[in-house]
């Protein structure tokens, strides 16, 4: 969870210092999408291979996995903030819930 969370935060908050570099902007966007889609799949796979994970934690992690994958697909599809903002808020809540369960 921690590695995925850090990867998502890091890669979705990168900015290209050269705003006129289309290739750089595309590379940053691709890494963000990869962090979201790959991170979701990774979390879901880890929970599936750990049957002793407490049910509430497994549900919270799977919910986070779904949300970050939805964000990744949304970014790929060019979704607007009207679509993405609720997912971002859900993600914030899910991270807080996981931190509370693991804290």
């Amino acid at each position: 969870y921690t590695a995925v969370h850090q990867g998502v935060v890091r890669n979705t908050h990168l900015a290209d210092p050269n705003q006129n570099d289309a290739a750089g902007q595309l590379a940053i966007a691709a890494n963000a999408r990869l962090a979201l889609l790959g991170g979701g799949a990774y979390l879901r796979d880890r929970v599936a291979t750990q049957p002793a994970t407490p049910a509430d934690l497994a549900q919270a992690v799977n919910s986070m996995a779904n949300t970050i994958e939805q964000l990744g697909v949304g970014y790929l599809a060019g979704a607007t903030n009207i679509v993405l903002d609720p997912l971002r808020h859900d993600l914030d809540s899910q991270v807080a819930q996981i931190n509370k369960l693991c804290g």
Side-chain angles (χ1 to χ4, degrees):
Y1 155 77
T2 301
V4 170
H5 183 238
Q6 289 172 345
V8 166
V9 169
R10 180 174 184 267
N11 285 285
T12 59
H13 290 86
L14 289 175
D16 186 3
N18 182 359
Q19 296 298 319
N20 296 324
D21 180 11
Q25 291 175 1
L26 183 59
I28 288 170
N31 279 343
R33 294 164 182 159
L34 178 61
L36 292 162
L37 294 169
Y42 178 85
L43 288 173
R44 192 173 296 103
D45 288 347
R46 296 297 72 79
V47 169
T49 63
Q50 299 297 321
T53 303
D56 55 350
L57 180 59
Q59 182 177 351
V61 171
N62 282 324
S63 291
M64 179 183 171
N66 289 335
T67 299
I68 62 176
E69 287 178 334
Q70 286 178 307
L71 280 166
V73 170
Y75 287 129
L76 286 170
T80 65
N81 285 336
I82 292 170
V83 173
L84 298 173
D85 282 345
L87 293 170
R88 292 178 188 124
H89 292 293
D90 288 347
L91 181 57
D92 290 340
S93 297
Q94 292 159 348
V95 167
Q97 181 182 13
I98 293 169
N99 287 338
K100 182 179 176 183
L101 291 169
C102 294

